Amino acid sequence: MTHRTTAQLAFDGSRIDGSLFTSVTDFARDTPWLNTAIALATNLGLGVFAVLMVMGWWRARRRDDSAMALALAAPVGVVAAFAVAEVIKKLVAEGRPCRALPRDFYVNSCPAPSDYAFPSGHTTVAAATTAALFLLDRRLAAIAAVCTLLEGFTRVYVGDHYPHDVLGSIVIAPPVALVAGLVVRGVIRPVVSRLRAGGVLQPLLRADTAGEAVR
């Protein structure tokens, strides 16, 4: 099947919230001074979530074995959520807004026809990180939650996704990340306990003040 045929058969998400999408892209058209900044932020913003996970790991060095296992499991949960989202994306095959609404304003160029819209991959990573951090550190999770909302808005602003693509990611990603995080924690916790007891990896897994009560 050619890319053109695939695009023709793809689900048309504009029927769900196309008018809301257009309202956001109209705002983008009317704020050209924001376009470049948000176009950069929508991709570079994912680095914020990586930093938050690193902070979670660093703080877990001063906590118990379970916390450290959760910190190490967090990236696995994010990858698992992204993988599930990619499978759903192929199954739903929702065309990008730029193909259904070609007259709207777009900050970003139109992706290839085989690059589908639902759910948003960027927002999936953001929402999954929030969920993984919720198990580990509520303060970091709160920061991640705010950043997730901002990330979702930028995805619509630049024209890459409909609002329901973002909402779908926020619904799909957290349960997957939570389950994966808890499963991986259970599997690696005994290993983490042994490595924290001594060895070359101990400084990466345990600080001098380890043993503090888990908040």
Side-chain angles (χ1 to χ4, degrees), residues 34-161:
L34 267 178
N35 290 177
T36 300
I38 291 187
L40 289 173
T42 194
N43 291 317
L44 297 180
L46 293 180
V48 172
F49 298 98
V51 170
L52 288 173
M53 282 195 288
V54 170
M55 290 176 64
W57 156 75
W58 185 259
R59 296 176 69 170
R61 293 170 65 248
R62 294 173 171 80
R63 298 172 61 188
D64 64 8
D65 296 343
S66 181
M68 176 51 69
L70 282 174
L72 298 178
V76 179
V78 174
V79 171
F82 185 80
V84 169
E86 286 299 296
V87 171
I88 294 174
K89 185 173 289 190
K90 296 297 183 183
L91 293 175
V92 176
E94 176 190 75
R96 292 280 183 165
C98 56
R99 303 194 180 281
L101 301 169
R103 296 183 180 180
D104 278 21
F105 176 83
Y106 294 92
V107 174
N108 283 351
S109 58
C110 194
S114 58
D115 187 353
Y116 300 122
F118 180 88
S120 163
H122 285 66
T123 312
T124 293
V125 170
T129 302
T130 300
L133 290 175
F134 181 80
L135 294 172
L136 177 64
D137 190 307
R138 302 294 171 82
R139 292 180 181 178
L140 293 178
I143 296 172
V146 173
C147 292
T148 295
L149 295 178
L150 293 174
E151 180 68 28
F153 172 76
T154 66
R155 301 310 292 154
V156 181
Y157 181 97
V158 299
D160 281 351
H161 290 282

